[in-house]
Amino acid sequence: MTPPTDRPTRFRVPRLARAKQEGRRLTMLTAYDALIAPILESAGVDMLLVGDSLGNVVLGHSSTLPVTLEDMERSTAAVARATSRVLVVADLPFGTYEASPELAFASAARLVKAGAHAVKLEGGRPRCAAVRLLSEGGIPVIGHLGYTPQSENSIGGPRLRGRGDQAEQILADAHGLEEAGAVALVLEMVPADVAGEVTRALTIPTIGIGAGPQTDGQVLVWSDMAGMSEWTPSFVHRFGELGEALRVAAERYVTSVADDSFPGTENYHAT
Ligand code: KIV
């Protein structure tokens, strides 16, 4: 038997529904490696999403489409190894779940074996059979509606989804995913009023990104949140300026090596 420890307990899937019932806002940030994940965990975030935004943020791709299951497994394992309290959620990358529920289960199981506690997949009604199979097979699923980056070739680039008739579609898809067993729903770039309507209509929590303040929680890409790059989407608040801080540190290092002030006597042993 595992001995009891005094560590705070891990945020587990049943707490998602409890948080919604209690009106406690949920927090999620992306994380892709063992360097950043424990820092975000120590800040008190509930969930770390090993997002397929890994493709853009870490691997230098211009979209999420080239991301492979192996990329996701490696990143998920690193985040899982480096954390002990957060719920680790891993994205199913493009091409690893759409063809059949069985394919979705096989791909999701690999992410769970790598350390994920839940997986996220994009899309509405067409994904419900996969969501049902995974949920019944013990793999919690988070849905993703609104702007879904893996469909950028069909729907165009990043844009608000859910105006006019699309609002009805999003609501119907949200109900379908909940009924199929999804444990939460990410709403990306959806008008705030539509996000609010979906949030009130569901018993599972909604987690918004560019969807306004009426969702049950918020998610951001960590590097956007921390101000790592010069440009951030308009729906992001820069909570820090890490990119500039890193640039200044590297510049001081370069200068110190050039002017012989590093390494100093405290940094080495003469004999
Ligand atoms: O991959 C990702 O970072 C995401 C968030 C934008 C929700 O899916």
Side-chain angles (χ1 to χ4, degrees), residues 99-122:
S100 70
E102 291 72 23
L103 177 66
F105 193 90
S107 302
R110 281 175 57 175
L111 296 178
V112 170
K113 285 179 194 293
H117 306 115
V119 298
K120 177 166 80 59
L121 52 76
E122 297 184 4

Side-chain angles (χ1 to χ4, degrees), residues 116-206:
H117 306 115
V119 298
K120 177 166 80 59
L121 52 76
E122 297 184 4
R125 288 263 170 202
R127 305 285 168 257
C128 286
V131 172
R132 185 165 290 111
L133 185 69
L134 269 62
S135 306
E136 287 173 0
I139 303 180
V141 184
I142 296 182
H144 184 156
L145 295 174
Y147 177 62
T148 46
Q150 293 176 14
S151 310
E152 67 163 52
N153 285 329
S154 344
I155 61 179
R159 66 193 57 188
L160 206 63
R161 307 276 300 171
R163 287 200 174 113
D165 290 351
Q166 285 176 1
E168 292 296 306
Q169 186 62 52
I170 288 182
L171 193 59
D173 284 342
H175 278 300
L177 290 168
E178 174 171 72
E179 196 266 323
V183 295
L185 182 61
V186 166
L187 293 173
E188 179 166 358
M189 297 185 76
V190 169
D193 286 351
V194 175
E197 195 183 341
V198 172
T199 299
R200 287 185 293 277
L202 299 185
T203 58
I204 57 171
T206 57

Side-chain angles (χ1 to χ4, degrees), residues 30 32 49 51-53 91 120 122 144 186 188 209 219 221:
T30 64
Y32 314 103
L49 170 65
D52 60 355
S53 50
D91 263 343
K120 177 166 80 59
E122 297 184 4
H144 184 156
V186 166
E188 179 166 358
I209 174 163
V219 54
V221 169

Side-chain angles (χ1 to χ4, degrees), residues 158 223-225 227-236 238 241:
S223 48
D224 289 342
M225 178 280 299
M228 278 293 281
S229 49
E230 279 176 21
W231 181 84
T232 39
S234 61
F235 55 75
V236 173
R238 295 167 75 100
E241 290 300 333

Side-chain angles (χ1 to χ4, degrees), residues 2 7 16 25 27 35 37 43 45 61-62 66 68 72 105 119 132 156 168 194 213 215 228 239 252 257 260 266 269:
T2 314
R7 273 200 324 225
L16 287 168
R25 291 269 185 262
T27 52
L35 177 67
V45 69
H61 297 302
S62 59
T68 65
M72 295 303 300
F105 193 90
V119 298
R132 185 165 290 111
E168 292 296 306
V194 175
T215 51
M228 278 293 281
F239 289 87
R252 287 171 56 196
V257 172
D260 284 339
E266 72 281 13
H269 299 283

